[in-house]
Structure formats: structure tokens, C-alpha cells
Amino acid sequence: MMATTNAEKYWNPILETLPQEKLRALQLKKFQRILRWSYENSPFYRRLYHDAGLEPGDIKTFDDIKKVPKTEKSMLRVVQGKTPYPYGDILCVPIEQVTEYHQTSGTTGQPVYQADTWQDWEWWSEAWAYILYAQGYRDSDRVFFPFGYNVFIAFWTAHYGAEKLGCEVIPGGVLNTEARILKMQEVRATAFMATPTYVLGMGDTARRKLDIDPAKDLQIRTITVAGEPGGSIPATKKRMEEIWGAKVYDHVGATEIGAWGYECVCQSGLHINEALFLVEIEDIQTGEFITEPGRPGKVVITALDRMAQPCIRFDSKDLVQLSEEECKCGRTFRLLQDGIISRTDNITKVKGVLLAPTSIEEVVRGILELGDEYEVIIAKQGDIDDITLNVELLPGQENNTGTIKNNLVDQLRVKTNLGYNIEFHEYGTLPRYDVKAKRFKDLRKGG
Ligand SMILES: [Zn+2]
């Protein structure tokens, strides 16, 4: 169970241990409130519900929630760029009340603009306080933020959440990677947050360029990751924990939604924050709602308290499955096994087989003779799909390529049902990334 510290005065975990039926009752009440609020204040939502013949009063029971039309990113793009500029008529408050501008990265199309009021910003901090408290952050922690503070939400809200919890916060904004590592060493930071790619990249830079062993020479004990699936891929997590001599915890969130799920110190899966979010899991083929463990489906999510630009029954494209286990921490919030398994828009068909990039990552990162970086290239040879996997050999492994290759091919065959051309590269020669990596390249589309 959780230790008692001064952080208790900032945080009260009562909601996290509510029985499931009480959580459902709370969610229904909050859902009715946000639905009515959006209907009354946003022309976008009013049109959406009017066209579906729905009024807020129609939602009387938890099951009625299914009648409410879903939203998705493409719908937001249609209304944005118009008055009130740039958010469009999804906005539920006068533009003067907006205090925070952020936008999505636009990797999957035109960016989505996101407005928050100060109240929403406090709500974000609260959502992060749940995460950090569950991951063992306390007011004695000195938390370093090695990320570029810019228009992307990234760890902005984690910064405020850490302050809310009483941690000491160090913004490592414009520094380069070396300077960030040296600063963490100088101030004796105890925790930091980054994408899995950057956690591994910083470890590599510390060891190769600064002759610093992060596990021995720094005092980091906790790392919170986000933005990529690596935090819930066992082999990647193990690599990060070994390099840093620290516990690594995953969390999940998105600009349009909020920070909605987190791993606790038990590391047994991702808890859904059911006090602030309603997560429905939908079968991608049948559209049926899934309540049983072990069956994958996509997340349809509502941010129950976000007011300026509400997120109601949003199709997140994240694939998840509920865990069979109950978490030992005592939280009643439902638990997702293996975090975000994949994104529905990341799964590709190769040679007629569905391939999720995360399964390749799990195999590569589990082979200790290989470096952290890899690259997957899918191309067409005539009519046939062809997958090339580029990997880096760690120094000293040059004579073992035969064994490593057989091991890789066998494990990939078991994990993904597909064959691969393996190409070995010298350590340090594949592309490096500072934020989100682009390791998966499908050359079949558009030549
Ligand atoms: Zn737990």
C-alpha cells in the first residue's frame, strides 16, 4: 500500500478506491453534465446531436450513453480554422476565457487546435497528480523535464501536476541532450519524464559521449514515459530500467483527450482514471462493447470534466484489452493489460497478415546483442510484400551475426507470423530521434 507523506495534503485518493458501481454512477452523472453543457454551448455538438435526433435529457441510464454519436479527429478538422478562430464552433466558452493553446503534432494529418481555460488547466494538473502519486512521486522529489516547451502538450501538464503534488520542478527546455544530463547530475534530480525513445537516447549519450553511467552516476529513481508504446513493452521497459537503474512507469494521454491512464508502482498494467474519464472499449469488427478481460477493442473515450473544448465519445484509435488481474495497490480503477497494444491506424496488412509494429519492437529490444535502434521497411518486390528489418550490432558482436540472425528470425516468426530480411548495421549508424521515432516505413503506399 501507499506510504503516507506530506503529499497527502495535496492529494486524496478516495475516488481511486470507490467500488465499480459507485464509479459508474459518478460517471453517468458527469456524462449527463458534460453532454448538456456541450449541447447548450457548442454549435458543433448541438448540430451533431440534433442530426442524430438526440437531446441531453434522453440519456437516463448508463446504457443510454451508447446512443450518443461518437466524435473523431476528422470532424474536428472540419470545424477548425473558423470562428471563433482557430478552434471553431466546438468551443464552449467565450474565446476570452481561453488561457492555453496547444495543438496535435499533425503526424496523421492537419493539426488539431486545442483550447483550455484555466479551470481545464487545473483539471489537467489534477489528472497528472493521480498519475504521479500512483507512481510514487512525493514532495521530496526533484523532477527534471528534458523536453522542448512549445505548442505541443507533451509534458507541459505533467510539469503542473508535479508542482500540484509538491515536487520540485526543473524545466530542462532549450538545453541539448548532453547539457540536460549534466544538469540532472548537478541538481541531483530524482525523476524525469520523456518518450521511451528519448529515455534510451539519453542513456546512450550519457554513456558514449559523457562517460556517465546513468545507473551509477545519477540519482534518478523514477522515470515516467509517454507518447509511444515502449513503456508497456516488457523488453523496452527492461532496457530503460537497466540503463537508468530506475523504475519506469507508463502513462497514456492525448492532446484532445487528457491524461487518462497510468501504471502504478505495482507495474501490473495501466489503470484507467475512471474518476475523470469514461472509457468504453469497442470491438473493431462488430462495434459491440467489450466488458470482459482479454479481448482487444478500441477505446471510445469521454473527458468527463473538460469544459472549453469537450471530448465526448471520442474515437481514440487506441487498441486495448482489460486485464484478468486485480491490482494489488487497492485501486478499483479498471486495469488494461499491456497498455496500448497498438493504434488501429498503425496496424498494417503484410502478405495478408495483420502486423502491429509493437510486436517487432518487443523482439528486437529483447535481444541483448543488439542496440536500441532499429528500422522496419515494407516494400513490394513485384507483387509480393517484403519486410526488411535493419538492426544495429553492439560493438564486439561482429562475429555472432549468424546466431543473432537465426534468433531474430525465429522469434519474429513466432510473434508476427511473417518472414524478414535482416540487415545488420554498425552501432550508432541508424537514425536517432529526440521525441517520437519513425521506425516503421511502409513504402507500398504512393510507391
Ligand atoms: Zn495499481
Side-chain angles (χ1 to χ4, degrees):
M1 281 304 290
M2 296 155 278
T4 307
T5 74
N6 286 342
E8 308 280 4
K9 70 180 179 237
Y10 303 97
W11 192 240
N12 173 351
I14 269 179
L15 283 167
E16 292 180 82
T17 55
L18 272 188
Q20 278 282 312
E21 63 279 11
K22 287 198 174 164
L23 278 171
R24 294 294 159 265
L26 176 72
Q27 288 176 322
L28 174 61
K29 214 170 183 170
K30 284 188 168 194
F31 188 91
Q32 289 165 327
R33 186 183 63 176
I34 194 73
L35 188 72
R36 184 168 293 282
W37 164 262
S38 307
Y39 185 87
E40 286 172 358
N41 294 290
S42 150
F44 164 81
Y45 277 111
R46 198 158 48 245
R47 277 194 307 273
L48 182 67
Y49 300 146
H50 190 264
D51 290 350
L54 184 106
E55 289 192 12
D58 298 340
I59 306 308
K60 295 189 173 69
T61 68
F62 199 80
D63 280 344
D64 289 338
I65 292 174
K66 296 191 184 101
K67 295 179 194 161
V68 177
K70 281 181 273 190
T71 52
E72 57 176 281
K73 218 175 220 173
S74 59
M75 297 161 85
L76 303 182
R77 291 198 183 109
V78 172
V79 296
Q80 291 206 320
K82 301 180 183 134
T83 317
Y85 192 81
Y87 309 105
D89 63 8
I90 189 173
L91 199 67
C92 282
V93 295
I95 191 90
E96 295 77 12
Q97 286 181 25
V98 175
T99 58
E100 315 296 326
Y101 167 95
H102 292 95
Q103 63 173 73
T104 59
S105 60
T107 41
T108 53
Q110 185 201 327
V112 170
Y113 307 119
Q114 179 67 47
D116 284 299
T117 61
W118 187 250
Q119 182 188 325
D120 289 329
W121 203 239
E122 290 187 333
W123 162 84
W124 263 110
S125 315
E126 178 163 317
W128 264 98
Y130 276 85
I131 298 169
L132 298 175
Y133 189 87
Q135 298 178 345
Y137 287 76
R138 293 297 180 268
D139 47 13
S140 52
D141 275 303
R142 187 168 285 155
V143 188
F144 192 82
F145 284 87
F147 89 98
Y149 287 75
N150 58 25
V151 292
F152 306 122
I153 202 113
F155 293 98
W156 268 107
T157 50
H159 174 126
Y160 284 79
E163 286 181 345
K164 183 179 167 76
L165 205 66
C167 300
E168 185 180 341
V169 166
I170 300 159
V174 294
L175 305 176
N176 66 16
T177 302
E178 282 99 318
R180 283 169 175 166
I181 294 162
L182 292 171
K183 186 56 79 180
M184 287 203 286
Q185 187 177 38
E186 177 194 341
V187 301
R188 299 180 190 166
T190 60
F192 74 92
M193 305 188 198
T195 58
T197 290
Y198 198 50
V199 172
L200 290 170
M202 282 172 94
D204 195 51
T205 301
R207 296 203 288 202
R208 286 198 304 142
K209 295 196 179 151
L210 299 170
D211 201 21
I212 286 176
D213 177 350
K216 292 204 182 78
D217 304 329
L218 299 179
Q219 299 188 22
I220 299 296
R221 63 174 189 92
T222 315
I223 300 169
T224 300
V225 294
E228 297 170 333
S232 290
I233 296 176
T236 302
K237 180 185 224 130
K238 189 158 174 263
R239 268 187 187 227
M240 293 189 281
E241 292 195 328
E242 282 174 2
I243 289 171
W244 286 91
K247 284 285 177 195
V248 171
Y249 300 110
D250 200 7
H251 116 276
V252 59
T255 317
E256 315 92 306
I257 304 166
W260 61 269
Y262 54 90
E263 204 172 14
C264 73
V265 289
C266 301
Q267 294 183 307
S268 45
L270 281 179
H271 285 285
I272 301 166
N273 186 335
E274 300 196 273
L276 303 183
F277 298 90
L278 171 66
V279 166
E280 301 166 83
I281 303 171
E282 189 186 272
D283 188 298
I284 28 176
Q285 247 102 53
T286 65
E288 197 187 338
F289 281 94
I290 298 171
T291 49
E292 70 270 28
R295 186 174 149 202
K298 69 174 178 181
V299 167
V300 176
I301 189 162
T302 301
L304 295 165
D305 307 273
R306 196 175 190 178
M307 309 305 275
Q309 191 174 318
C311 167
I312 302 177
R313 301 206 73 224
F314 184 74
D315 178 355
S316 76
K317 316 273 185 211
D318 292 322
L319 265 190
V320 300
Q321 62 186 6
L322 290 168
S323 172
E324 314 256 357
E325 315 282 322
E326 270 180 33
C327 194
K328 291 185 187 69
C329 69
R331 286 180 180 77
T332 49
F333 288 178
R334 286 180 301 165
L335 200 61
L336 301 174
Q337 187 187 327
D338 307 327
I340 304 297
I341 309 168
S342 191
R343 285 180 54 78
T344 50
D345 48 9
N346 274 353
I347 295 182
T348 8
K349 238 184 195 170
V350 183
K351 297 179 189 168
V353 177
L354 286 177
L355 175 67
T358 45
S359 29
I360 299 176
E361 173 166 338
E362 185 164 359
V363 171
V364 174
R365 297 270 169 83
I367 294 178
L368 301 178
E369 294 85 1
L370 297 177
D372 301 326
E373 281 305 335
Y374 66 94
E375 200 172 51
V376 183
I377 296 167
I378 303 175
K380 264 209 185 314
Q381 298 287 359
D383 282 341
I384 299 163
D385 295 335
D386 189 64
I387 321 173
T388 302
L389 173 61
N390 291 316
V391 290
E392 285 185 356
L393 277 178
L394 285 183
Q397 296 296 337
E398 293 76 11
N399 297 326
N400 292 338
T401 50
T403 324
I404 300 170
K405 187 175 177 175
N406 290 342
N407 188 7
L408 254 178
V409 169
D410 287 351
Q411 287 198 41
L412 286 166
R413 167 77 63 193
V414 171
K415 195 89 194 162
T416 67
N417 263 320
L418 288 163
Y420 297 75
N421 311 311
I422 309 291
E423 284 182 15
F424 290 106
H425 297 259
E426 201 181 316
Y427 186 65
T429 54
L430 288 178
R432 257 60 184 168
Y433 303 90
D434 275 0
V435 195
K436 290 194 194 189
K438 289 192 184 68
R439 301 191 178 96
F440 199 86
K441 291 168 188 158
D442 193 344
L443 308 181
R444 295 171 302 178
K445 297 159 193 161

